[in-house]
Amino acid sequence: MNDKVVMNVTVEGSPGPVRVMLKLGWTVEETIKLVVNKYGEEGRSPVFHKNDVASMFELYHSCFSLQCLDRSDIIGDVGGRNFYLRKSKTEPRSLLVDNPRFPRLLALSDFMSKKISEVIRKMGKLWMILGCIPCDM
C-alpha cells in the first residue's frame, strides 16, 4: 500500500494530538517511531527524556483501550485514524533481559518492591481502623 493518510495520535499527558502523515503499509512500530520523533521536534509537553526510545511506548485505539496494538500489525489493517500513545507500564524486554548490565533479578525486585509497598499501605489502613476502635473491653 502506498496510500498516505493523516493520523492524529494523542500522547498521554499532552494537551493535543500529534498529526502525522504516514503510509498505510507501515507497521505500528514504525508509526510509534514517527510519532515520538515528531513529538520531540515540536517541543511538546511533557518533555520526553533523552533516553526515552520508541520501544518504551505502546499504541492504543483510544485512551479507554485495555489492549495495545501489536507492533507488527500493519497500520492500514488496524482501522481508525485516531490513536493514543502511552509509555509502557513495564520496561522493554530488551532493557531488562537482553542487556547484560541489567540482570533478570531486576524485574523480580521491581515486582517485589511494588507488592511490599502495597502490603505496607494496606497495613497502614488497617492500623488506622484499629486505632479508631474504642478499647472498652
Side-chain angles (χ1 to χ4, degrees):
M1 291 183 194
N2 289 328
D3 297 333
K4 288 186 176 184
V5 293
V6 174
M7 292 193 170
N8 295 317
V9 180
T10 302
V11 178
E12 184 174 42
S14 184
V18 176
R19 297 183 62 137
V20 293
M21 181 175 286
L22 51 89
K23 293 181 181 180
L24 290 175
W26 285 8
T27 63
V28 169
E29 185 166 7
E30 291 171 322
T31 304
I32 292 171
K33 287 178 185 176
L34 179 67
V35 171
V36 169
N37 288 339
K38 178 127 188 209
Y39 184 91
E41 288 173 5
E42 292 180 0
R44 293 198 172 224
S45 175
V47 178
F48 292 154
H49 297 287
K50 291 181 180 180
N51 52 352
D52 285 345
V53 291
S55 63
M56 298 175 82
F57 294 91
E58 295 174 334
L59 193 65
Y60 294 81
H61 276 290
S62 74
C63 63
F64 303 109
S65 298
L66 298 176
Q67 183 67 35
C68 66
L69 301 173
D70 189 77
R71 292 182 171 278
S72 61
D73 285 346
I74 304 297
I75 202 72
D77 297 340
V78 170
R81 299 291 173 259
N82 297 308
F83 295 96
Y84 189 77
L85 185 76
R86 75 168 58 116
K87 278 192 175 181
S88 173
K89 298 279 186 220
T90 59
E91 293 294 321
R93 179 175 168 77
S94 62
L95 287 180
L96 289 179
V97 178
D98 300 335
N99 193 333
R101 293 186 335 201
F102 296 98
R104 289 180 185 260
L105 294 176
L106 182 61
L108 181 62
S109 66
D110 185 41
F111 171 78
M112 291 301 294
S113 67
K114 287 179 183 176
K115 289 298 177 186
I116 290 170
S117 65
E118 183 179 325
V119 168
I120 291 171
R121 189 173 59 248
K122 287 182 180 180
M123 285 185 66
K125 289 180 181 179
L126 179 64
W127 279 109
M128 285 178 48
I129 292 170
L130 293 175
C132 294
I133 297 174
C135 297
D136 293 337
M137 295 181 212

